[in-house]
Amino acid sequence: MPPSGTFTTTVHPFESPTAHACAYEIGLANARNALVFIGGLGDGPHTVPYPRAIAKRLEAEPQLSYSVFEFRLTSSFSGFGFARLANDVADISALVQYLRSIGKQRVVLLGHSTGCQDCMEYTSPSHGVAPVEGYILQAPVSDRGAIALEMGESKLDEGLKVAKELIASGRGHERMLPQQISPSFHSTPISAERWYALGATDGEDNYFDPGLPDEVVRPYWSRVDKPILILQSGSDEFVSSSVDKNVLVKHWRTLCQPGIASELSGAIPGAGHRVEEPEAEEWLANTVVKFLQSVK
């Protein structure tokens, strides 16, 4: 018998801006529909466990006919330091086009952490992407807030000042020094442009900062034109304890077009950022199934 924890996947090579791209399908065989998982900073195929739990749960709902896909983006693993959300969007769109070419009828994007920013960026009309039928955001957190929790806001702003000066002088591609960024990023080369995008109030990655005014964030949420499920992790270690996650999600729902944001949206009870707690993982899988049942 194979060791505990092994699993089987079907590998799909496909044309993408990322060289030698492959998608990895798990779950129901010959499914008509696809749930595409998009991980966060440092993630790649199979680094987050819960997509496999969702795939297993979907096997018990054959009438829904969804399998789960993971894939490698330009930004996967340590590649995020010199990539942008726009690169991710191009990779995602290429996969969606491939899935359509093999007959998938419905495609829903499931973003985790920075994968949620990818989903929001995907809705921008500036990209001209392949359309999808829905979105799920799990752990949509502010990178600025998470970094500030680790290194302090004043230290963060000092580093951002350096990054902004490098960008202004045409050197945004240069690597930030370890003393200018938070310890969590020391093992990953990261450019001034990406550090600013992640950490600045006006950074292009800053979709989910609770402190942003409605006039800034309303255009993001109001452009979402397909069903969206918004799920914060109830005990997310990367979100300040001062943030009421259910209240925040409820407010985001009010900024969406009527009927777009699912009533299932809210906080996953007892879940950390990656939802590795068994009860929280089960809750997430069941909620995803309920949402997919509503996607037409």
Side-chain angles (χ1 to χ4, degrees):
M1 291 181 63
S4 173
T6 62
F7 60 95
T8 300
T9 182
T10 299
V11 182
H12 295 255
F14 69 100
E15 292 295 324
S16 169
T18 296
H20 313 298
C22 289
Y24 305 89
E25 183 182 12
I26 55 176
L28 190 68
N30 302 312
R32 297 187 304 274
N33 308 308
L35 179 64
V36 176
F37 177 79
I38 308 158
L41 300 181
D43 284 325
H46 322 310
T47 58
V48 178
Y50 75 69
R52 298 190 285 281
I54 292 174
K56 188 70 174 177
R57 179 67 180 81
L58 285 167
E59 287 180 333
E61 304 286 341
Q63 75 283 358
L64 271 179
S65 198
Y66 275 90
S67 59
V68 175
F69 285 79
E70 300 182 66
F71 69 113
R72 188 173 66 83
L73 300 90
T74 300
S75 65
S76 289
F77 303 114
S78 61
F80 70 85
F82 283 78
R84 299 177 59 202
L85 295 182
N87 301 128
D88 292 350
V89 165
D91 288 337
I92 297 164
S93 186
L95 176 57
V96 174
Q97 291 179 60
Y98 168 76
L99 293 173
R100 300 297 189 193
S101 76
I102 62 172
K104 300 302 181 184
Q105 297 173 11
R106 295 177 187 144
V107 179
V108 174
L109 304 183
L110 165 55
H112 158 70
S113 195
T114 301
C116 298
Q117 279 91 328
D118 286 334
C119 288
M120 295 299 284
E121 185 72 17
Y122 202 85
T123 67
S124 172
S126 65
H127 296 299
V129 296
V132 297
E133 279 65 49
Y135 304 93
I136 301 172
L137 310 183
Q138 184 275 310
V141 306
S142 164
D143 290 299
R144 175 177 172 82
I147 295 167
L149 281 177
E150 183 179 20
M151 68 183 304
E153 192 167 321
S154 61
K155 188 71 173 176
L156 168 59
D157 287 338
E158 288 176 15
L160 290 172
K161 182 181 178 182
V162 173
K164 190 171 185 178
E165 291 171 352
L166 286 169
I167 294 167
S169 63
R171 299 161 59 199
H173 62 282
E174 292 189 12
R175 179 181 178 177
M176 297 292 289
L177 298 177
Q179 62 266 31
Q180 298 164 343
I181 60 179
S182 61
S184 293
F185 291 86
H186 284 181
S187 62
T188 303
I190 187 165
S191 70
E193 289 177 339
R194 190 63 197 264
W195 187 247
Y196 192 87
L198 290 170
T201 301
D202 61 344
E204 63 182 22
D205 289 40
N206 197 22
Y207 279 104
F208 305 121
D209 187 340
L212 289 176
D214 283 357
E215 56 264 31
V216 173
V217 298
R218 181 180 284 110
Y220 305 148
W221 293 104
S222 64
R223 75 190 184 200
V224 179
D225 62 355
K226 297 293 171 63
I228 186 168
L229 173 64
I230 310 166
L231 297 174
Q232 287 274 14
S233 287
S235 300
D236 198 315
E237 61 272 26
F238 297 116
V239 179
S240 170
S241 58
S242 65
V243 175
D244 188 319
K245 301 174 187 67
N246 278 305
V247 169
L248 181 60
V249 170
K250 185 176 181 180
H251 181 64
W252 285 339
R253 287 182 60 204
T254 68
L255 302 179
C256 294
Q257 299 176 38
I260 288 293
S262 173
E263 295 182 357
L264 297 167
S265 300
I268 306 169
H273 190 64
R274 289 159 51 93
V275 197
E276 296 182 275
E277 304 78 7
E279 289 185 4
E281 183 182 75
E282 181 180 5
W283 189 99
L284 171 60
N286 288 333
T287 303
V288 167
V289 166
K290 291 175 185 176
F291 174 70
L292 294 176
Q293 289 169 340
S294 71
V295 173
K296 304 303 180 186

